[in-house]
Amino acid sequence: MQYLVGTPRGRLSQYEQKLTQLPWQVAREGVSVKLLAEGPELYVLAESKDRVSKERAMRRRQLKGLWERLKKLQPMKLQRDELLKKLGAALHDYPAGARLVATAVSPGKAALTFTLRKDKLRQARKREGRYLLRTNITGGRTAEELWQFYIQLTEVEAAFKNLKDNLALRPIHHQLEHRIEAHIFISFLAYCLHVTLRRRLRALAPGLTSRAVLEKFATIQMLDVQLPTTDDRTVILSRYTQPEPDVQLLLQELKLELPAQPPPKITAPKPPSDQGSVVKT
């Protein structure tokens, strides 16, 4: 069995000295890799220029937000327990920035002090946009092919994430094989529709996600209005709610039309009750 998996970035420290001595190889435009053979496995250090810029912007935003929050907390006159709660909330809101800042609360006057961990910042800057992969595919594959395998892995993980989060599909423990296949088939169709919607949105509204559109469409609901008649029958009107203006605009841009409202249905009259009958057992 062959595998290619991602490894924690902390593993970089173990092989950092060996990797620094190796040359970079171009996997594709904007992506470079280093290959390190260790026994039966091959470690692949990949660096993406686009990912470097994205992670650097995220790190700066996190660090700036946490630093401003700590500057507001520092002059506050609070009890130590209350200050610790607010400090914990700030660190929770900015987890990436919390790894780069050392904080302390004195036990006496409950004074907050914080400093930048420059060693952690240098380490974070060095590792931004870099991934360490581990594989047992040690021969016959180029750096570009290994990177393509990794991209396929991320696409599969993204597909599972969409099934769980955006489409809210959960595993159902079926007992029969044909029901298992049916559940997988429905999930696959749902994912195909999700991808199709995402691609159509790129041309119409690049900043709008498919999840946001699905949440908008979820406001359109189907209702059964039941109206009793004088002869003990019921008129059933199945009606969907009228879409809001923003939802109607989305439907027009996507060239989607709601079906016509279904015709009303009427139930048969109820049979008279046999109150005088005798039931023998």
Side-chain angles (χ1 to χ4, degrees):
M1 180 180 296
Q2 295 180 330
Y3 59 84
L4 175 69
V5 296
T7 60
R9 291 191 181 183
R11 187 73 66 88
L12 277 172
S13 302
Q14 183 177 350
Y15 300 103
E16 192 169 10
Q17 293 296 330
K18 295 181 179 180
L19 288 169
T20 53
Q21 300 173 6
L22 298 175
W24 287 101
Q25 302 180 34
V26 177
R28 66 174 189 180
E29 185 178 358
V31 178
S32 301
V33 299
K34 290 184 178 185
L35 305 180
L36 174 63
E38 285 288 318
E41 292 185 323
L42 180 69
Y43 285 88
V44 183
L45 177 62
E47 181 182 66
S48 170
K49 292 183 179 180
D50 293 338
R51 193 67 184 179
V52 169
S53 302
K54 181 178 180 179
E55 291 186 2
R56 186 157 296 172
M58 293 171 58
R59 186 254 305 162
R60 288 175 176 173
R61 185 168 58 250
Q62 282 263 321
L63 185 57
K64 181 180 179 181
L66 177 61
W67 200 264
E68 292 178 352
R69 181 79 64 87
L70 294 177
K71 288 175 66 176
K72 292 180 180 180
L73 287 177
Q74 197 172 39
M76 291 184 179
K77 305 298 181 181
L78 301 172
Q79 297 293 329
R80 188 171 188 273
D81 291 345
E82 186 65 22
L83 180 58
L84 288 174
K85 289 181 181 179
K86 291 185 176 294
L87 175 61
L91 298 177
H92 180 269
D93 292 339
Y94 300 95
R99 292 190 288 268
L100 307 176
V101 178
T103 60
V105 177
S106 59
K109 299 180 181 180
L112 172 64
T113 57
F114 56 93
T115 56
L116 181 65
R117 303 177 66 181
K118 296 183 179 180
D119 56 335
K120 293 293 183 181
L121 179 60
R122 286 193 294 267
Q123 187 182 69
R125 286 178 56 87
K126 187 185 301 184
R127 296 180 177 180
E128 284 170 344
R130 294 185 177 183
Y131 304 90
L132 186 63
L133 312 177
R134 182 166 57 93
T135 178
N136 63 349
I137 307 174
T138 56
R141 298 293 184 178
T142 64
E144 183 178 1
E145 288 176 323
L146 292 175
W147 174 257
Q148 189 62 37
F149 288 158
Y150 175 67
I151 294 300
Q152 292 176 358
L153 174 64
T154 59
E155 290 176 351
V156 171
E157 291 176 345
F160 276 104
K161 183 178 180 181
N162 286 331
L163 290 174
K164 291 172 60 180
D165 297 339
N166 296 346
L167 300 177
L169 293 172
R170 293 293 186 267
I172 299 177
H173 303 286
H174 296 292
Q175 301 294 329
L176 302 178
E177 184 175 354
H178 69 277
R179 291 188 176 181
I180 296 174
E181 293 178 352
H183 182 73
I184 295 174
F185 179 66
I186 293 297
S187 300
F188 177 72
L189 287 181
Y191 177 68
C192 289
L193 292 174
H194 174 81
V195 173
T196 302
L197 177 60
R198 183 177 60 191
R199 291 185 177 274
R200 294 186 64 181
L201 288 174
R202 289 179 182 176
L204 299 175
L208 193 62
T209 63
S210 53
R211 180 171 185 171
V213 173
L214 292 176
E215 290 176 351
K216 288 287 187 181
F217 287 167
T219 59
I220 305 176
Q221 298 183 0
M222 197 73 176
L223 305 175
D224 282 341
V225 181
Q226 299 185 2
L227 304 175
T229 63
T230 56
D231 55 352
D232 294 332
R233 294 190 293 176
T234 302
V235 177
I236 302 176
L237 299 174
S238 296
R239 292 291 182 268
Y240 55 78
T241 57
Q242 291 299 321
E244 298 292 334
D246 56 342
V247 179
Q248 187 65 46
L249 179 61
L250 280 174
L251 292 172
Q252 293 176 0
E253 292 295 330
L254 292 172
K255 295 180 174 56
L256 299 176
E257 294 183 4
L258 293 175
Q261 299 279 16
K265 295 181 292 185
I266 187 168
T267 62
K270 296 180 181 179
S273 58
D274 299 331
Q275 297 181 356
S277 62
V278 177
V279 179
K280 296 182 179 181
T281 61

